Coordinates of all heavy atoms in Angstrom, one line a residue:
C1 N 123.4 107.4 117.2 CA 123.1 108.6 116.4 C 123.6 108.3 114.9 O 122.9 108.7 114.0 CB 123.9 109.8 117.0 SG 123.6 111.3 116.1
Q2 N 124.8 107.7 114.8 CA 125.3 107.5 113.4 C 124.4 106.4 112.7 O 124.2 106.6 111.5 CB 126.7 107.0 113.5 CG 127.4 107.0 112.2 CD 127.6 108.3 111.6 OE1 127.6 109.3 112.2 NE2 127.8 108.4 110.2
Q3 N 123.9 105.4 113.5 CA 123.1 104.4 112.9 C 121.8 105.0 112.4 O 121.2 104.6 111.4 CB 122.9 103.2 113.8 CG 122.2 102.1 113.2 CD 122.3 100.8 114.0 OE1 122.5 100.9 115.2 NE2 122.0 99.7 113.4
L4 N 121.2 105.9 113.2 CA 120.0 106.6 112.9 C 120.1 107.4 111.6 O 119.2 107.4 110.7 CB 119.5 107.5 114.0 CG 118.1 108.0 114.0 CD1 117.1 106.8 114.0 CD2 117.8 108.9 115.2
K5 N 121.2 108.1 111.4 CA 121.5 108.8 110.2 C 121.6 107.9 109.0 O 121.1 108.2 107.9 CB 122.8 109.6 110.3 CG 122.7 110.8 111.2 CD 124.0 111.6 111.2 CE 124.0 112.7 112.2 NZ 125.3 113.4 112.3
S6 N 122.2 106.7 109.2 CA 122.3 105.8 108.1 C 120.9 105.2 107.7 O 120.6 105.1 106.6 CB 123.2 104.6 108.6 OG 123.3 103.6 107.6
I7 N 120.1 104.9 108.7 CA 118.8 104.4 108.5 C 117.9 105.5 107.8 O 117.2 105.2 106.8 CB 118.1 104.0 109.8 CG1 118.8 102.8 110.3 CG2 116.6 103.7 109.6 CD1 118.3 102.4 111.7
N8 N 118.1 106.8 108.2 CA 117.3 107.9 107.5 C 117.7 108.0 106.1 O 116.9 108.2 105.2 CB 117.6 109.2 108.3 CG 116.7 110.3 107.8 OD1 115.5 110.1 107.7 ND2 117.3 111.4 107.5
K9 N 119.0 107.8 105.8 CA 119.5 108.0 104.4 C 118.9 106.8 103.5 O 118.4 107.1 102.5 CB 121.0 107.9 104.4 CG 121.6 108.1 103.1 CD 123.1 108.2 103.2 CE 123.8 108.4 101.8 NZ 125.2 108.5 101.9
R10 N 118.9 105.6 104.0 CA 118.3 104.5 103.3 C 116.8 104.7 103.2 O 116.2 104.3 102.2 CB 118.6 103.2 104.0 CG 120.1 102.8 103.8 CD 120.3 101.4 104.3 NE 121.6 101.5 105.0 CZ 121.8 101.0 106.2 NH1 120.9 100.5 106.9 NH2 123.0 101.2 106.8
F11 N 116.2 105.2 104.2 CA 114.7 105.4 104.2 C 114.4 106.4 103.1 O 113.5 106.2 102.3 CB 114.3 105.9 105.6 CG 112.9 106.4 105.7 CD1 111.8 105.5 105.7 CD2 112.6 107.8 105.7 CE1 110.5 106.0 105.8 CE2 111.3 108.2 105.8 CZ 110.3 107.3 105.8
S12 N 115.1 107.5 103.1 CA 114.8 108.6 102.1 C 115.0 108.0 100.6 O 114.2 108.4 99.8 CB 115.8 109.8 102.3 OG 115.4 110.4 103.4
K13 N 116.0 107.2 100.4 CA 116.2 106.6 99.1 C 115.1 105.6 98.7 O 114.9 105.4 97.5 CB 117.5 105.9 99.1 CG 118.7 106.8 99.0 CD 120.0 106.0 98.9 CE 121.2 107.0 98.9 NZ 122.5 106.3 98.8
S14 N 114.4 105.1 99.7 CA 113.3 104.2 99.4 C 112.0 104.8 99.0 O 111.1 104.2 98.5 CB 113.0 103.3 100.7 OG 114.1 102.6 101.1
L15 N 111.9 106.1 99.3 CA 110.7 106.9 99.0 C 110.8 107.6 97.7 O 111.8 108.1 97.3 CB 110.4 107.9 100.1 CG 110.3 107.4 101.5 CD1 110.1 108.6 102.5 CD2 109.1 106.5 101.6
P16 N 109.6 107.7 97.0 CA 109.6 108.5 95.7 C 109.7 110.0 96.0 O 109.3 110.4 97.1 CB 108.3 108.1 95.1 CG 107.4 107.7 96.3 CD 108.3 107.1 97.3
S17 N 110.1 110.7 95.1 CA 110.1 112.2 95.2 C 108.7 112.6 94.9 O 108.0 112.0 94.0 CB 111.1 112.8 94.2 OG 111.2 114.1 94.3
P18 N 108.1 113.6 95.5 CA 108.6 114.5 96.5 C 108.4 114.0 97.9 O 108.7 114.7 98.9 CB 107.8 115.8 96.2 CG 106.5 115.3 95.8 CD 106.8 114.0 95.0
L19 N 107.8 112.8 98.1 CA 107.6 112.3 99.5 C 108.8 112.3 100.3 O 108.8 112.7 101.5 CB 107.0 110.9 99.4 CG 106.6 110.3 100.7 CD1 105.6 111.1 101.5 CD2 106.1 108.9 100.5
N20 N 110.0 112.0 99.7 CA 111.2 111.9 100.5 C 111.7 113.2 101.0 O 112.5 113.3 101.9 CB 112.3 111.2 99.7 CG 112.7 111.9 98.4 OD1 112.1 113.0 98.1 ND2 113.6 111.4 97.7
Q21 N 111.1 114.3 100.5 CA 111.5 115.6 101.0 C 110.7 116.1 102.2 O 111.0 117.1 102.8 CB 111.4 116.6 99.8 CG 112.3 116.3 98.7 CD 111.9 117.1 97.4 OE1 111.2 118.1 97.5 NE2 112.4 116.7 96.3
H22 N 109.7 115.3 102.5 CA 108.7 115.7 103.5 C 108.7 114.8 104.7 O 107.8 114.9 105.6 CB 107.3 115.9 103.0 CG 107.3 116.9 101.9 ND1 107.1 118.3 102.2 CD2 107.4 116.9 100.6 CE1 107.1 119.0 101.1 NE2 107.2 118.2 100.1
C23 N 109.6 113.8 104.7 CA 109.6 112.7 105.8 C 111.0 112.5 106.3 O 112.0 112.6 105.5 CB 109.1 111.4 105.3 SG 107.5 111.5 104.5
H24 N 111.2 112.2 107.5 CA 112.5 111.9 108.1 C 112.3 110.9 109.3 O 111.3 111.0 110.0 CB 113.3 113.1 108.4 CG 112.9 113.8 109.6 ND1 111.9 114.8 109.5 CD2 113.2 113.7 110.9 CE1 111.7 115.3 110.7 NE2 112.4 114.7 111.6
V25 N 113.3 110.1 109.5 CA 113.3 109.2 110.6 C 113.6 110.0 111.9 O 114.6 110.7 112.0 CB 114.3 108.1 110.4 CG1 114.4 107.2 111.6 CG2 114.0 107.2 109.2
A26 N 112.7 109.9 112.8 CA 112.9 110.6 114.1 C 113.5 109.7 115.1 O 114.3 110.1 116.0 CB 111.5 111.1 114.6
N27 N 113.2 108.4 115.1 CA 113.7 107.4 116.1 C 113.6 106.0 115.6 O 112.8 105.8 114.6 CB 112.9 107.6 117.4 CG 113.7 107.1 118.6 OD1 114.8 106.5 118.5 ND2 113.3 107.4 119.8
W28 N 114.3 105.1 116.2 CA 114.2 103.7 115.9 C 114.3 102.9 117.2 O 115.3 103.1 118.0 CB 115.4 103.4 115.0 CG 115.6 101.9 114.7 CD1 114.7 101.0 114.3 CD2 116.8 101.2 114.8 NE1 115.2 99.8 114.2 CE2 116.6 99.9 114.5 CE3 118.1 101.6 115.2 CZ2 117.5 98.9 114.5 CZ3 119.1 100.6 115.2 CH2 118.8 99.3 114.9
R29 N 113.3 102.2 117.5 CA 113.3 101.4 118.7 C 113.0 99.9 118.4 O 112.0 99.6 117.9 CB 112.1 101.8 119.7 CG 112.4 103.1 120.3 CD 111.3 103.5 121.3 NE 110.7 104.7 120.8 CZ 109.4 104.9 120.9 NH1 108.6 104.1 121.4 NH2 108.9 106.1 120.4
E30 N 114.0 99.1 118.6 CA 114.0 97.6 118.3 C 113.6 97.4 116.9 O 114.4 97.5 116.0 CB 113.1 96.9 119.3 CG 113.6 97.0 120.8 CD 112.7 96.3 121.7 OE1 111.9 95.5 121.3 OE2 112.9 96.6 122.9
T31 N 112.3 97.1 116.6 CA 111.9 96.8 115.3 C 110.8 97.8 114.8 O 110.2 97.6 113.8 CB 111.3 95.4 115.1 OG1 110.1 95.3 116.0 CG2 112.3 94.3 115.5
T32 N 110.8 99.0 115.5 CA 109.8 100.0 115.1 C 110.5 101.3 114.7 O 111.4 101.8 115.4 CB 108.9 100.4 116.3 OG1 108.2 99.2 116.7 CG2 107.9 101.4 116.0
L33 N 110.1 101.8 113.5 CA 110.7 103.0 113.0 C 109.7 104.1 113.2 O 108.5 104.0 112.9 CB 110.9 102.9 111.5 CG 111.9 103.8 110.8 CD1 113.3 103.7 111.4 CD2 111.9 103.6 109.3
I34 N 110.1 105.3 113.8 CA 109.2 106.4 114.0 C 109.6 107.5 113.0 O 110.8 107.9 113.0 CB 109.3 106.9 115.5 CG1 108.8 105.8 116.4 CG2 108.5 108.2 115.6 CD1 109.5 105.8 117.7
V35 N 108.7 107.9 112.2 CA 108.9 108.8 111.1 C 108.1 110.1 111.3 O 106.9 110.0 111.6 CB 108.6 108.2 109.8 CG1 108.8 109.1 108.6 CG2 109.4 106.9 109.6
H36 N 108.7 111.2 111.1 CA 107.9 112.5 111.2 C 107.7 113.0 109.7 O 108.6 112.9 108.9 CB 108.7 113.5 112.0 CG 108.7 113.3 113.4 ND1 109.5 114.0 114.3 CD2 108.1 112.3 114.2 CE1 109.3 113.5 115.5 NE2 108.5 112.5 115.5
T37 N 106.5 113.5 109.5 CA 106.2 114.2 108.3 C 105.8 115.6 108.6 O 105.5 115.9 109.7 CB 105.1 113.5 107.5 OG1 103.9 113.6 108.3 CG2 105.4 112.0 107.2
D38 N 105.9 116.5 107.6 CA 105.6 117.9 107.9 C 104.1 118.3 107.6 O 103.7 119.4 107.8 CB 106.5 118.8 107.2 CG 106.6 118.6 105.7 OD1 105.7 118.0 105.1 OD2 107.6 119.1 105.1
S39 N 103.3 117.3 107.2 CA 101.9 117.6 107.1 C 101.1 116.3 107.0 O 101.6 115.2 106.8 CB 101.5 118.4 105.8 OG 101.6 117.6 104.7
S40 N 99.8 116.4 107.2 CA 98.9 115.2 107.2 C 98.8 114.6 105.8 O 98.7 113.4 105.7 CB 97.5 115.5 107.7 OG 96.9 116.5 107.0
L41 N 99.0 115.4 104.8 CA 99.0 114.9 103.4 C 100.1 113.9 103.2 O 99.9 112.8 102.7 CB 99.1 116.0 102.4 CG 99.2 115.6 101.0 CD1 98.1 116.1 100.2 CD2 100.5 116.0 100.4
W42 N 101.3 114.2 103.6 CA 102.5 113.4 103.4 C 102.4 112.2 104.4 O 102.9 111.1 104.0 CB 103.8 114.2 103.6 CG 103.9 115.3 102.6 CD1 103.8 116.6 102.9 CD2 104.0 115.2 101.2 NE1 103.9 117.3 101.7 CE2 104.0 116.5 100.7 CE3 104.0 114.1 100.3 CZ2 104.1 116.7 99.3 CZ3 104.2 114.3 99.0 CH2 104.2 115.7 98.5
A43 N 101.8 112.4 105.5 CA 101.7 111.3 106.5 C 100.8 110.2 105.9 O 101.0 109.0 106.0 CB 101.1 111.8 107.8
T44 N 99.7 110.6 105.3 CA 98.7 109.7 104.7 C 99.4 108.9 103.5 O 99.3 107.7 103.4 CB 97.5 110.4 104.1 OG1 96.9 111.1 105.2 CG2 96.5 109.5 103.5
R45 N 100.1 109.6 102.7 CA 100.8 108.9 101.6 C 101.8 107.9 102.1 O 102.0 106.8 101.5 CB 101.5 110.0 100.7 CG 100.5 110.8 99.9 CD 101.2 111.6 98.9 NE 100.2 112.4 98.2 CZ 100.4 113.2 97.2 NH1 101.7 113.4 96.7 NH2 99.5 113.9 96.6
L46 N 102.5 108.3 103.1 CA 103.5 107.4 103.7 C 102.9 106.2 104.3 O 103.3 105.1 104.2 CB 104.4 108.1 104.7 CG 105.5 107.3 105.4 CD1 106.5 106.7 104.4 CD2 106.2 108.1 106.4
R47 N 101.8 106.4 105.0 CA 101.0 105.3 105.6 C 100.6 104.3 104.6 O 100.6 103.1 104.9 CB 99.9 105.8 106.4 CG 100.3 106.4 107.8 CD 99.1 106.8 108.6 NE 99.5 107.5 109.8 CZ 99.3 108.8 110.0 NH1 98.6 109.5 109.1 NH2 99.7 109.4 111.0
Y48 N 100.2 104.7 103.4 CA 99.8 103.8 102.4 C 101.0 103.0 101.9 O 100.8 101.9 101.4 CB 99.2 104.6 101.2 CG 97.7 104.9 101.4 CD1 97.3 106.3 101.4 CD2 96.8 104.0 101.6 CE1 96.0 106.6 101.6 CE2 95.4 104.3 101.8 CZ 95.1 105.6 101.8 OH 93.8 106.0 102.0
M49 N 102.2 103.5 102.0 CA 103.4 102.9 101.5 C 104.0 101.9 102.5 O 104.9 101.1 102.1 CB 104.4 103.9 101.0 CG 104.0 104.7 99.8 SD 105.5 105.6 99.2 CE 106.6 104.3 98.8
T50 N 103.7 102.0 103.8 CA 104.4 101.3 104.8 C 104.5 99.8 104.6 O 105.5 99.2 104.7 CB 103.9 101.6 106.2 OG1 102.5 101.3 106.3 CG2 104.2 103.0 106.6
P51 N 103.4 99.1 104.1 CA 103.5 97.6 103.9 C 104.6 97.3 102.9 O 105.3 96.3 103.0 CB 102.1 97.2 103.5 CG 101.2 98.3 103.9 CD 102.0 99.5 103.9
F52 N 104.6 98.1 101.8 CA 105.6 97.9 100.7 C 107.0 98.2 101.1 O 107.9 97.5 100.8 CB 105.2 98.7 99.5 CG 103.8 98.5 99.0 CD1 102.8 99.5 99.3 CD2 103.4 97.4 98.4 CE1 101.5 99.3 98.9 CE2 102.1 97.2 98.0 CZ 101.1 98.1 98.3
L53 N 107.2 99.2 101.9 CA 108.5 99.6 102.4 C 109.0 98.5 103.3 O 110.2 98.0 103.2 CB 108.5 100.9 103.2 CG 108.2 102.2 102.4 CD1 108.0 103.3 103.3 CD2 109.4 102.4 101.5
I54 N 108.2 98.0 104.3 CA 108.6 97.0 105.2 C 109.0 95.7 104.4 O 110.0 95.1 104.7 CB 107.6 96.7 106.3 CG1 107.5 97.9 107.2 CG2 107.9 95.4 107.0 CD1 106.3 97.9 108.1
A55 N 108.2 95.3 103.5 CA 108.5 94.1 102.7 C 109.8 94.2 101.9 O 110.6 93.3 101.8 CB 107.3 93.9 101.7
S56 N 110.0 95.4 101.3 CA 111.3 95.6 100.5 C 112.5 95.6 101.4 O 113.5 95.1 101.1 CB 111.2 96.8 99.7 OG 111.2 98.0 100.4
W57 N 112.3 96.2 102.6 CA 113.5 96.3 103.6 C 113.8 94.9 104.1 O 115.0 94.6 104.4 CB 113.2 97.2 104.7 CG 113.1 98.7 104.3 CD1 113.6 99.2 103.2 CD2 112.4 99.7 105.0 NE1 113.3 100.6 103.1 CE2 112.6 100.9 104.2 CE3 111.7 99.7 106.2 CZ2 112.1 102.1 104.6 CZ3 111.2 101.0 106.6 CH2 111.4 102.1 105.8
Q58 N 112.8 94.0 104.3 CA 113.1 92.7 104.8 C 113.9 91.9 103.8 O 114.6 90.9 104.2 CB 111.8 92.0 105.1 CG 111.1 92.6 106.4 CD 109.7 92.0 106.7 OE1 109.2 91.3 105.8 NE2 109.2 92.2 107.9
K59 N 113.9 92.3 102.6 CA 114.8 91.6 101.6 C 116.2 92.2 101.5 O 117.1 91.5 101.0 CB 114.1 91.8 100.2 CG 112.8 91.1 100.0 CD 112.2 91.4 98.7 CE 110.7 90.9 98.7 NZ 110.0 91.3 97.4
E60 N 116.4 93.3 102.1 CA 117.7 94.0 102.1 C 118.5 93.6 103.4 O 117.9 93.7 104.5 CB 117.6 95.5 102.1 CG 117.2 96.1 100.8 CD 117.2 97.6 100.9 OE1 118.1 98.2 101.6 OE2 116.3 98.2 100.3
S61 N 119.7 93.3 103.2 CA 120.5 93.0 104.4 C 121.1 94.2 105.0 O 121.5 94.2 106.2 CB 121.7 92.0 104.0 OG 122.5 92.7 103.0
S62 N 121.1 95.4 104.3 CA 121.7 96.6 104.8 C 120.7 97.3 105.8 O 121.1 98.2 106.6 CB 122.0 97.5 103.7 OG 120.9 97.9 102.9
M63 N 119.4 97.0 105.8 CA 118.5 97.6 106.6 C 118.2 96.7 107.9 O 118.1 95.5 107.7 CB 117.1 97.7 105.9 CG 116.5 99.1 105.6 SD 117.0 100.6 106.3 CE 115.4 101.2 106.7
P64 N 118.1 97.3 109.1 CA 117.8 96.5 110.2 C 116.4 96.0 110.1 O 115.6 96.5 109.3 CB 118.0 97.5 111.4 CG 117.8 98.8 110.8 CD 118.3 98.7 109.4
T65 N 116.0 95.0 110.9 CA 114.7 94.5 110.9 C 113.7 95.5 111.4 O 113.8 96.0 112.5 CB 114.6 93.2 111.8 OG1 115.6 92.3 111.3 CG2 113.2 92.6 111.7
I66 N 112.8 95.9 110.5 CA 111.7 96.8 110.8 C 110.4 96.1 110.6 O 110.1 95.6 109.5 CB 111.8 98.1 109.9 CG1 113.1 98.7 109.9 CG2 110.6 99.0 110.2 CD1 113.5 99.5 111.2
N67 N 109.6 96.0 111.6 CA 108.3 95.4 111.5 C 107.1 96.3 111.6 O 106.0 96.0 111.3 CB 108.1 94.3 112.6 CG 109.0 93.2 112.5 OD1 109.4 92.8 111.4 ND2 109.5 92.7 113.6
K68 N 107.4 97.6 112.0 CA 106.3 98.6 112.2 C 106.9 99.9 111.9 O 108.0 100.3 112.3 CB 105.8 98.5 113.6 CG 104.6 99.4 113.9 CD 104.2 99.1 115.4 CE 103.0 100.0 115.7 NZ 102.6 99.8 117.1
I69 N 106.1 100.8 111.3 CA 106.4 102.2 111.1 C 105.3 103.0 111.7 O 104.1 102.9 111.3 CB 106.6 102.5 109.6 CG1 107.7 101.7 108.9 CG2 106.9 104.0 109.4 CD1 107.8 101.8 107.4
I70 N 105.7 103.9 112.6 CA 104.8 104.8 113.2 C 105.0 106.2 112.5 O 106.1 106.7 112.5 CB 105.0 104.9 114.7 CG1 104.7 103.6 115.4 CG2 104.1 106.1 115.3 CD1 105.1 103.6 116.9
V71 N 103.9 106.7 112.0 CA 104.0 108.0 111.3 C 103.4 109.1 112.1 O 102.3 109.0 112.6 CB 103.3 107.9 109.9 CG1 103.5 109.3 109.2 CG2 103.9 106.8 109.1
Q72 N 104.1 110.1 112.4 CA 103.6 111.3 113.2 C 103.8 112.6 112.4 O 104.8 112.7 111.7 CB 104.4 111.4 114.5 CG 104.3 110.1 115.4 CD 105.2 110.2 116.6 OE1 106.2 110.9 116.6 NE2 104.8 109.5 117.6
V73 N 102.8 113.4 112.5 CA 102.9 114.7 111.8 C 103.6 115.7 112.8 O 103.1 115.9 113.9 CB 101.5 115.2 111.5 CG1 101.6 116.6 110.8 CG2 100.8 114.2 110.5
R74 N 104.6 116.3 112.3 CA 105.4 117.3 113.0 C 105.6 118.5 112.1 O 106.6 118.5 111.3 CB 106.7 116.8 113.5 CG 106.6 115.7 114.5 CD 106.3 116.2 115.9 NE 106.4 115.2 116.9 CZ 105.4 114.8 117.6 NH1 104.2 115.3 117.5 NH2 105.5 113.8 118.5
P75 N 104.7 119.5 112.0 CA 104.8 120.6 111.0 C 106.1 121.4 111.3 O 106.5 121.5 112.4 CB 103.6 121.4 111.3 CG 102.7 120.7 112.2 CD 103.5 119.6 112.8
T76 N 106.7 121.8 110.2 CA 107.9 122.7 110.4 C 107.4 124.1 110.8 O 106.3 124.5 110.5 CB 108.6 122.8 109.0 OG1 107.7 123.3 108.0 CG2 109.2 121.5 108.6
L77 N 108.2 124.7 111.6 CA 107.9 126.0 112.1 C 108.3 127.1 111.1 O 109.4 127.0 110.6 CB 108.6 126.3 113.4 CG 108.2 125.4 114.6 CD1 109.0 125.7 115.8 CD2 106.7 125.7 114.9
L78 N 107.5 128.0 110.9 CA 107.8 129.1 110.0 C 108.2 130.3 110.8 O 107.4 130.7 111.8 CB 106.7 129.5 109.1 CG 106.2 128.4 108.1 CD1 105.0 128.8 107.3 CD2 107.4 128.0 107.1
V79 N 109.3 131.0 110.5 CA 109.7 132.2 111.3 C 109.5 133.4 110.4 O 110.1 133.4 109.3 CB 111.2 132.0 111.7 CG1 111.6 133.3 112.5 CG2 111.3 130.8 112.6
Y80 N 108.7 134.3 110.8 CA 108.5 135.5 110.1 C 109.3 136.7 110.6 O 109.4 136.8 111.8 CB 107.0 135.9 110.1 CG 106.1 134.9 109.4 CD1 105.4 133.9 110.1 CD2 106.0 134.9 108.0 CE1 104.6 133.0 109.4 CE2 105.3 134.0 107.3 CZ 104.5 133.0 108.0 OH 103.7 132.1 107.4
D81 N 109.8 137.5 109.7 CA 110.5 138.7 110.1 C 109.5 139.8 110.3 O 108.8 140.1 109.3 CB 111.6 139.0 109.1 CG 112.5 140.1 109.6 OD1 112.4 140.6 110.7 OD2 113.3 140.5 108.8
T82 N 109.4 140.3 111.4 CA 108.3 141.4 111.7 C 108.8 142.8 111.3 O 108.1 143.7 111.5 CB 107.9 141.3 113.2 OG1 109.0 141.5 114.0 CG2 107.2 140.0 113.4
Q83 N 110.0 142.9 110.9 CA 110.5 144.2 110.6 C 110.2 144.6 109.1 O 110.2 144.0 108.2 CB 112.0 144.3 110.8 CG 112.4 144.0 112.2 CD 113.9 144.1 112.5 OE1 114.7 144.3 111.6 NE2 114.2 143.8 113.7

């Protein structure tokens, strides 16, 4: 859990604003990072960036070895007050 938080923090710093506000690391399995975005627009932007992200992380010793990024759309739920 702590390592996932650390990876998420480094991941967010690697992304430009406002993309970093719409993506977060959901899981990490061996060399695959699973990232959730809150819309298809942000997912598409992130998918275009994945080769560059992976290449830059391979140069960093602080990031674990990541060879693949899976991007999934998980919209945020909106709660409306009916009163």
Side-chain angles (χ1 to χ4, degrees):
C1 183
Q2 192 64 22
Q3 190 170 17
L4 195 60
K5 286 181 184 179
S6 176
I7 292 170
N8 189 52
K9 187 175 180 179
R10 287 187 223 128
F11 171 76
S12 291
K13 287 182 180 180
S14 301
L15 299 176
S17 184
L19 181 60
N20 62 0
Q21 299 167 17
H22 298 276
C23 307
H24 70 275
V25 174
N27 204 349
W28 171 53
R29 287 185 243 144
E30 296 179 18
T31 61
T32 302
L33 198 64
I34 296 147
V35 178
H36 288 174
T37 65
D38 55 20
S39 76
S40 59
L41 175 120
W42 300 113
T44 300
R45 289 188 182 183
L46 181 58
R47 284 185 186 109
Y48 281 120
M49 290 190 66
T50 56
F52 306 105
L53 291 171
I54 291 170
S56 70
W57 293 338
Q58 288 175 347
K59 297 174 187 173
E60 285 184 37
S61 61
S62 62
M63 244 344 227
T65 302
I66 306 287
N67 294 324
K68 183 178 179 182
I69 299 174
I70 297 173
V71 180
Q72 299 175 336
V73 177
R74 298 281 190 241
T76 55
L77 295 175
L78 298 176
V79 178
Y80 293 101
D81 188 6
T82 58
Q83 296 180 3

